[in-house]
Amino acid sequence: MTVNGPSAAQRLLQTAAELGVEYIFTNLGSDHPAFIEAFSRIEEAGGLMPKIVICPHEMTALSAAHGHAMSSRRAQMVLVHVDVGTQNLGCSIHNAARSRVPAIIVAGLSPTTTSGDRTGARTEYIHYTQDTTRQHEIVGQYMKWSYELRAAEMVDAVVQRGLQIAACEPQGPVYLTGAREVWEVPVEAPPATAAAWSATSMGSLSPSHLRLLHEAFCTSKRPLVITSYCGRHPESARRLVALSERIGFAVCEVSPNYMNFPGDHPNHVGYRRNALVGEADLILLLDVDVPWIVSKVQPALGARVLHIDLDPVKPNMGFWHFPAEQRWLVDSAIVLEQWLDLAKLSPSHGVEERRSWIAASRQNSVLPSLPERNDGSIDAQHLSDAIRAVIDDNSILVLEAPTLTERLLSTLRMKQPGSFFANGGSGLGWGINAAIGLKLARPKADVITVTGDGSYVFGVPSSAFWVSQAYDVPTLTIINNNSGWNAPKQSTLLVHPDGAAVRQDRFWVTIGRGARYAEIAAAAG
């Protein structure tokens, strides 16, 4: 039996393109004949659909969509197959959720009919083994919304709702499923209704709360702003600079996901978590998840803490608490603009005193020199210096090297909004794949990925480099090779500094010594 009209799968593709989805990153399976046929039908007719990027592994698919969204702020589509394809998304799901990036993930379901009377009914044995009872629960706790397309004629509305929810702040991934028979059903295109599905926008501070914020800074002596992701809006970084210069406050970036504040600015006090937390008399948490480690440092007695965030209480995390007298669920880009307008009309007192404190604090933020190596090998500082020598204003740095991050950022001092991106989650393997999406979003930029050897292997490099070669998406990858996973060693040293593992210098993580990682890229062409 053949489908004569546009199928639900075809309508999904057309609707996605009409709504601004540029790419579908996909690994296809036996549940996707309707999509494969739709690709060819639309192409044959010269119709509109997102560009198709075939990915040998799903880690590449969602991480590339993640990278694109970090720059574009628009959801891209990821098409995977049934439960096994969904499971292969792995930690990229955690990363998209924790990074608060929009994505629309579409997965097939095994066909349910067995008679053969319906197009798409069961034809292979795996349609039995891949039929699960609760497929959506594989990813449920990380999704903003999960939904099964049960009636083909609802496909346009369901896609529009999915994209709407993904785009609403805080942004995040959504998960749609549909059985093979449903995707094959012919449907008619509904009237255009995209304007009715606009995403919500976050608001601003009330005048009284804005005055509270501004007066708190103007009356403080040692004000500190801690941020990780306010730079997702490039204009926020510029406004934060203007405010810092006018009022006089320090800015510390901890585990930055974006370039939030120019690293070479006199008011930038580095990237070291916990720094100055015990000294400041006022701390503003500005779009940040983990401003300090509670077991290591606490705000000074009597210090005020305020919190501005698109996600100020982190309901999707388990236990989380950092004290604050005020928390505001607002768009930081809007608030910074409001605050700057107010600051221009209000004289600021004590600015020079605050600047003196910042200058002294900045001196203390300099990282200690590394001990000289006698074997001629490259250490973290040598590598950081070499990278600094090659980047310019056209460079985008993608960073996923956990034990190198602080040293590298302190050396590079990135200063251009939109020049730096890092994972907001902890699922390793993101970097080399996110670089593909960032290069597609900004094709004229030079995308440089700095990754640890563990992150590199976890990223399924054979998949990443195959996509890069097949779709002409050139990036530069630099591997910081620790000859194993250095992060577990550092964690063990924090918990058992005098333990047996230290005495034996045996951490069970050195497995990559002598590996020729670059040859994986060579094998991809």
Side-chain angles (χ1 to χ4, degrees):
M1 186 184 298
T2 59
V3 176
N4 296 317
S7 65
Q10 187 169 332
R11 278 304 308 156
L12 178 139
L13 299 173
Q14 292 168 327
T15 300
E18 291 163 3
L19 295 173
V21 176
E22 296 178 60
Y23 291 95
I24 293 180
F25 301 94
T26 181
N27 187 306
L28 298 164
S30 64
D31 48 323
H32 291 140
F35 286 95
I36 295 170
E37 182 68 12
F39 294 162
S40 296
R41 284 188 172 208
I42 295 172
E43 189 176 72
E44 187 177 62
L48 183 68
M49 67 175 173
K51 298 181 183 73
I52 310 300
V53 178
I54 304 299
C55 302
H57 196 279
E58 291 82 353
M59 180 70 177
T60 300
L62 182 51
S63 298
H66 179 160
H68 190 291
M70 290 187 84
S71 178
S72 68
R73 307 313 305 176
R74 296 191 306 274
Q76 303 306 302
M77 186 170 285
V78 176
L79 179 62
V80 299
H81 54 289
V82 292
D83 60 333
V84 289
T86 300
Q87 289 165 331
N88 251 10
L89 290 168
C91 55
S92 66
I93 296 169
H94 159 95
N95 293 336
R98 289 292 183 258
S99 297
R100 303 175 184 85
V101 295
I104 182 164
I105 303 166
V106 179
L109 298 173
S110 280
T112 57
T113 57
T114 60
S115 66
D117 293 335
R118 295 187 62 180
T119 302
R122 294 188 178 189
T123 54
E124 303 169 53
Y125 85 95
I126 56 173
H127 295 152
Y128 290 85
T129 59
Q130 291 179 342
D131 189 15
T132 61
T133 57
R134 299 183 301 278
Q135 182 176 303
H136 66 282
E137 291 185 10
I138 298 171
V139 298
Q141 65 178 313
Y142 295 104
M143 293 298 119
K144 288 191 69 179
W145 185 62
S146 297
Y147 194 74
E148 178 186 347
L149 179 66
R150 297 188 288 270
E153 64 269 23
M154 293 298 295
V155 64
D156 284 81
V158 168
V159 170
Q160 289 183 105
R161 176 158 170 76
L163 285 168
Q164 178 189 46
I165 292 173
C168 290
E169 296 283 11
Q171 295 180 327
V174 300
Y175 184 71
L176 304 181
T177 57
R180 195 166 79 155
E181 304 97 322
V182 175
W183 296 120
E184 295 281 2
V185 174
V187 294
E188 293 183 5
T193 59
W197 295 88
S198 60
T200 59
S201 58
M202 286 191 171
S204 56
L205 285 182
S206 68
S208 61
H209 283 173
L210 186 63
R211 286 194 300 272
L212 183 155
L213 172 67
H214 183 62
E215 289 169 5
F217 272 80
C218 289
T219 56
S220 67
K221 295 181 178 180
R222 299 178 301 280
L224 173 66
V225 173
I226 304 176
T227 186
S228 295
Y229 49 87
C230 80
R232 70 191 183 280
H233 300 302
E235 63 272 20
S236 292
R238 301 183 186 99
R239 291 167 187 163
L240 193 58
V241 168
L243 280 162
S244 177
E245 291 174 348
R246 180 172 291 273
I247 298 171
F249 57 74
V251 177
C252 181
E253 294 184 89
V254 296
S255 299
N257 306 160
Y258 304 85
M259 201 299 295
N260 304 288
F261 193 85
D264 61 350
H265 193 281
N267 292 353
H268 193 293
V269 291
Y271 306 89
R272 306 184 74 174
R273 198 184 312 273
N274 304 332
L276 304 182
V277 170
E279 295 181 35
D281 62 357
L282 171 64
I283 301 174
L284 173 63
L285 310 182
L286 179 64
D287 288 333
V288 59
D289 286 336
V290 186
W292 60 81
I293 302 301
V294 175
S295 63
K296 301 296 182 182
V297 69
Q298 295 281 353
L301 187 66
R304 302 181 68 183
V305 180
L306 306 172
H307 192 173
I308 291 173
D309 209 314
L310 55 81
D311 189 14
V313 293
K314 325 293 178 187
N316 290 326
M317 295 186 186
F319 179 78
W320 182 97
H321 177 67
F322 293 87
E325 65 177 80
Q326 291 280 351
R327 298 187 198 277
W328 294 299
L329 174 63
V330 288
D331 185 329
S332 59
I334 295 174
V335 171
L336 290 174
E337 183 177 30
Q338 278 186 289
W339 188 8
L340 185 57
D341 288 341
L342 176 62
K344 289 176 180 177
L345 300 174
S346 307
S348 296
H349 304 290
V351 175
E352 291 306 318
E353 182 180 2
R354 291 192 285 270
R355 286 175 179 166
S356 296
W357 175 71
I358 294 169
S361 300
R362 186 175 170 85
Q363 292 298 318
N364 295 333
S365 72
V366 177
L367 294 179
S369 299
L370 294 173
E372 286 292 328
R373 293 187 177 185
N374 298 321
D375 59 1
S377 60
I378 300 171
D379 66 17
Q381 190 59 56
H382 293 144
L383 179 58
S384 299
D385 290 338
I387 294 170
R388 180 174 58 185
V390 300
I391 63 172
D392 57 28
D393 288 346
N394 194 48
S395 302
I396 291 177
L397 180 69
V398 181
L399 181 57
E400 190 183 25
T403 56
L404 179 66
T405 296
E406 195 173 292
R407 175 79 47 182
L408 181 61
L409 289 178
S410 297
T411 301
L412 299 184
R413 299 280 177 178
M414 303 298 288
K415 60 184 179 181
Q416 295 290 336
S419 63
F420 170 80
F421 298 92
N423 185 8
S426 58
L428 300 182
W430 167 88
I432 58 175
N433 297 294
I436 294 170
L438 280 161
K439 181 67 175 178
L440 290 172
R442 293 169 59 182
K444 294 183 179 180
D446 297 323
V447 179
I448 301 171
T449 305
V450 181
T451 181
D453 50 334
S455 301
Y456 177 79
V457 172
F458 295 161
V460 196
S462 57
S463 173
F465 291 134
W466 189 95
V467 171
S468 182
Q469 172 73 2
Y471 295 94
D472 191 22
V473 188
T475 67
L476 171 64
T477 300
I478 299 170
I479 304 170
N480 179 42
N481 188 358
N482 298 312
S483 299
W485 314 157
N486 197 32
K489 176 181 177 179
Q490 297 304 316
S491 295
T492 302
L493 292 172
L494 288 171
V495 179
H496 300 289
D498 302 311
V502 174
R503 290 195 298 273
Q504 298 181 56
D505 191 24
R506 180 86 158 117
F507 293 92
W508 310 93
V509 293
T510 306
I511 60 173
R513 188 166 290 143
R516 299 191 296 272
Y517 293 119
E519 293 187 16
I520 301 175

